[in-house]
Structure formats: C-alpha cells, structure tokens
Amino acid sequence: MITAPVNKIIPFSCVDGPGNRTAVFLQGCNQACLYCHNPETIAMCSNCGACVAVCPAGALSMEEGEVRYDITKCCLCDACLKACPSLSSPRIRQLTAEQVMGEIAVNLPFISGITVSGGECSLHPDFIRELFTLAREKGKSTFIDTNGQTPLWEQEALLAVTDKTMIDLKSGDDDEHRQMSGLSAALPMENIRRLAPLGKIYEIRTVVVPGLLDNRRTVEAGARLIAPYPDIRYKLIRYRPFGVRPAMPETPVPTDDEMAELEALARSCGVQDVCVV
C-alpha cells in the first residue's frame, strides 16, 4: 500500500488554487528556503524524542524507537515544534490515498478540488496519482503546489490525472537560487518551459524579498517563460516575516511601489494575468 507523510489537511482553502479547495500538506522538502513560512515541514522527524516530554496533551509517545502521533489528543499548541532540534514536526501520519479521501469525504460537496502541497509533494508521485484518481472520480479538480525541483514532465501517469500545477520560481539566477534554497533554478525553469505548452500550469509564483534577491531579474525571467501562454497567472507574493526562520524577520517587507513596479515589469514582458498579494 502506498502511503505518504501527511503533515496536515486544511478542509477549506481559498489560497491554494482556484475556488474553495481542500489542501493536503505532505512532510519533507528537497529545498531549504531561507524565507520558508512553514520550515517545520522541511525535515523529516529524526525520532530523537525531544518533543514527547513537552507535549501537554499526551499526543506524542515513543514506541519502539519512533515518535508516534495521536491526532485525536493534539491541541495544536506547537510546543513540539519549538522543542524540535531539527526544526521538524512530529505531527505526521503515514496515510494512504484512500484514507485521505475518507477524511475529506465530508468536504466534497463544498469544494471545487484538491491541492497537494508541502513540504514538497512531488517527492511522492505515486501517492498523488492515486489520490488524484480518486478525486477525479468524485468530479473534483486536482492541483499540485510544487517548488519544481523534480522533473514533472517525465511523470506522464501523474500528469494524466493532474489538472494544473502551481510552480515556485525563487530566482531566475542559478547562484542566487542556490543561496536562497540550496538548489539550482534549472529544474523549476525547465518544468515551466515543458508544462506550459501542455496546459498544465495554473500559475507561477515569486516571493519578492528586498535586499536579498534581484527581484527584477527574477520577475523578468519568469514573465518571459509564461508570456506566450495567456492563461497562466504570475503571482507576485510580498515577503512577510511570519513563521520564518530567526534570521529573516529583519528583512524588510516590500513597499506598494516596489510591488507595483514588478507587476508593471511582468505585464511589459507580455504576461496578461498578474496577481499581487
């Protein structure tokens, strides 16, 4: 049975794709972005047990050398996240696609589709394929929220049941992208190039970080990739110091003028749909 490490399921979301969607977040990421707003989803639990002693609800226990999580007891106080030396989350459940669909069954009459996110969900293509197959049987659209660091164009079976992807472009420059995330910009950009003509991209996204990134260069690079495809949206996301690592809150939030300038740049490159948030 194929399982994936599920970090959380958000029953109703209006920010994880179009319409009202259920968002399934998987644990583990192949990047380690400096401004990650949920850094506890990057690393897998090392089973050190530091979280067990601080859990006030008894939702965590150590059994046979592994941390076990009981979601029915969890009060979501985040004491475990603060105690973790690996900046990880022990609140993980290994679930099958059938189990996820069972948990979200009550949502189905009220949602337009399912989005799988992370962490980096594309590390679990077989699980997503099974989940999306079940979702489509229920008439729901299927979206992948990804950093683009796996060659999705090679996953034909997965793409066959995927309506759209949403791809992050951290930077248009290789060195800068490595500085920000630990990995090159080559794969995200190649995913955009290859998936766009297939009609498999809903939007690309760039987080605008003043002083740390050459935001104009990144937006121009992203805009030129998607300009031939008017249905693809470019979402420009204002950096905000919430939930990020300790070193990042000192980074300034971009001004309205800075965001407006980047929006104008994307439009001047031929992008018709630009969203600033």
Side-chain angles (χ1 to χ4, degrees):
M1 297 179 66
I2 298 173
T3 64
V6 176
N7 176 284
K8 62 184 174 183
I9 299 174
I10 297 179
F12 304 110
S13 170
C14 61
V15 297
D16 292 292
N20 188 19
R21 311 184 66 79
T22 289
V24 180
F25 289 79
L26 304 185
Q27 183 75 14
C29 189
N30 49 5
Q31 291 192 151
C33 298
L34 297 178
Y35 59 63
C36 182
H37 285 75
N38 50 348
E40 75 281 358
T41 67
I42 297 175
M44 299 300 294
C45 175
S46 64
N47 294 302
C48 70
C51 56
V52 175
V54 301
C55 178
L60 299 171
S61 60
M62 183 67 76
E63 300 176 23
E64 299 179 349
E66 295 185 356
V67 175
R68 301 292 173 84
Y69 172 54
D70 185 346
I71 192 174
T72 65
K73 296 180 180 179
C74 184
C75 62
L76 299 175
C77 66
D78 288 352
C80 56
L81 305 184
K82 296 172 184 175
C84 180
S86 303
L87 294 177
S88 182
S89 172
R91 301 195 305 240
I92 307 303
R93 296 178 295 153
Q94 288 288 340
L95 299 179
T96 65
E98 290 81 3
Q99 287 172 321
V100 171
M101 287 300 294
E103 290 198 11
I104 70 174
V106 295
N107 307 341
L108 294 179
F110 310 103
I111 62 173
S112 55
I114 294 174
T115 298
V116 182
S117 185
E120 179 44 46
C121 63
S122 69
L123 300 176
H124 306 275
D126 294 333
F127 168 84
I128 302 175
R129 176 178 48 79
E130 289 192 356
L131 179 63
F132 282 3
T133 299
L134 295 174
R136 282 192 160 195
E137 290 174 357
K138 300 295 184 181
K140 303 304 173 184
S141 63
T142 53
F143 278 54
I144 292 175
D145 181 346
T146 177
N147 62 23
Q149 291 291 2
T150 61
L152 287 170
W153 69 87
E154 296 179 352
Q155 298 283 344
E156 294 184 8
L158 175 57
L159 290 179
V161 293
T162 300
D163 289 311
K164 298 286 184 179
T165 61
M166 299 179 289
I167 302 177
D168 291 336
L169 183 61
K170 310 292 184 185
S171 171
D173 176 76
D174 251 11
D175 291 338
E176 197 175 72
H177 202 285
R178 284 194 179 92
Q179 177 189 1
M180 169 57 61
S181 71
L183 293 177
S184 162
L187 260 178
M189 296 182 76
E190 189 64 15
N191 266 310
I192 295 170
R193 288 191 189 96
R194 291 189 180 238
L195 297 187
L198 301 178
K200 292 293 183 178
I201 301 180
Y202 172 69
E203 69 182 16
I204 67 170
R205 293 91 53 91
T206 292
V207 177
V208 177
V209 188
L212 189 62
L213 301 175
D214 186 338
N215 298 295
R216 286 189 59 86
R217 177 170 57 187
T218 300
V219 170
E220 183 172 2
R224 295 198 182 283
L225 285 173
I226 65 171
Y229 309 97
D231 292 338
I232 300 178
R233 180 171 74 173
Y234 201 154
K235 179 183 281 187
L236 302 177
I237 303 171
R238 192 189 309 258
Y239 165 78
R240 296 173 175 88
F242 304 123
V244 297
R245 301 179 187 191
M248 289 297 293
E250 302 302 320
T251 302
V253 175
T255 65
D256 290 343
D257 288 345
E258 288 173 314
M259 298 302 291
E261 179 184 347
L262 294 173
E263 178 184 3
L265 174 61
R267 293 189 185 280
S268 72
C269 292
V271 179
Q272 297 185 25
D273 188 355
V274 184
C275 174
V276 177
V277 296

